[in-house]
Amino acid sequence: MDGTLTEPVHDFEWIRRELQIPSGADILEHLASLPAQQAADSHAWLLQHERELAQASVAAPGAVALVRALHSAGCRLGILTRNARELAEVTLAAIGVAECFAAEEIIGRWEVAPKPSPAGLQFFAERWAVAPAAMRMVGDHYYDLATAKAAGVPGILINVPGDPWPGMAQWQLRDCAQLLEQWQAAEFL
């Protein structure tokens, strides 16, 4: 969601400094390696910080129109996030598209192994009884594309200039508005 459906606001390096995590380290992996109480305290701090960001979420260009168009057309929509499910719900409400997602189809870091694990996309494929190749993973980060690749789902990179991860995305588009245009032109069937 962050950076895909919403304007990116997370300052991950600042979060790492606040939680005393080495620069560039995977935050969730690092927290999982901590002693239980320290991990719990760090997760509580992170959850509160992320809640504030979620409540102030602003939709990315074209995101609301894209989600509403896909939902209206009967497309199955799911959220796979490294954030907590409850905060994904707060974010979706903040940008005005909560009604487009069934609660059980919002998968956060506690429901399955977090991205880049393919577990979340495998969950959706099984739940929806569709082949992974029939699904699309839309994201703005390497983890999104690595998750898609590991699950056999075509990946769509948006909101990222250039091609920072060559060969990872099947499509790269400017933003959600361009994705909607391409979908309406039947480019992703």
Side-chain angles (χ1 to χ4, degrees), residues 35-140:
Q37 187 58 54
Q38 186 179 359
D41 292 346
S42 294
H43 275 293
W45 181 92
L46 183 60
L47 195 64
Q48 179 56 38
H49 175 67
E50 290 174 325
R51 181 176 304 285
E52 293 167 9
L53 296 177
Q55 291 167 336
S57 293
V58 173
V64 172
L66 172 67
V67 169
R68 288 192 178 147
L70 294 172
H71 182 260
S72 293
C75 295
R76 301 293 302 262
L77 300 175
I79 295 289
L80 179 59
T81 180
R82 287 174 56 94
N83 212 315
R85 173 192 283 181
E86 67 188 82
L87 298 182
E89 292 170 346
V90 169
T91 300
L92 294 170
I95 65 170
V97 295
E99 73 282 357
C100 298
F101 295 90
E104 60 275 7
E105 294 178 351
I106 300 171
I107 305 301
R109 64 181 170 236
W110 304 116
E111 285 73 42
V112 298
K115 297 181 285 186
S117 166
L121 292 180
Q122 292 165 341
F123 166 84
F124 287 124
E126 184 175 320
R127 178 173 177 77
W128 298 336
V130 298
M135 298 167 45
R136 300 295 181 263
M137 173 70 165
V138 180
D140 73 318

Side-chain angles (χ1 to χ4, degrees), residues 1-6 60-63 66 137-141 144-145 155-162 164-165 169 171-180 188:
M1 284 185 329
D2 307 312
T4 302
L5 294 180
T6 62
L66 172 67
M137 173 70 165
V138 180
D140 73 318
H141 191 274
D144 300 315
L145 301 177
I156 302 171
L157 180 63
I158 63 170
N159 300 331
V160 178
W165 307 290
W171 299 279
Q172 183 174 4
L173 302 170
R174 177 188 68 248
D175 56 22
C176 290
Q178 186 180 23
L179 176 53
L180 177 57
F188 299 112

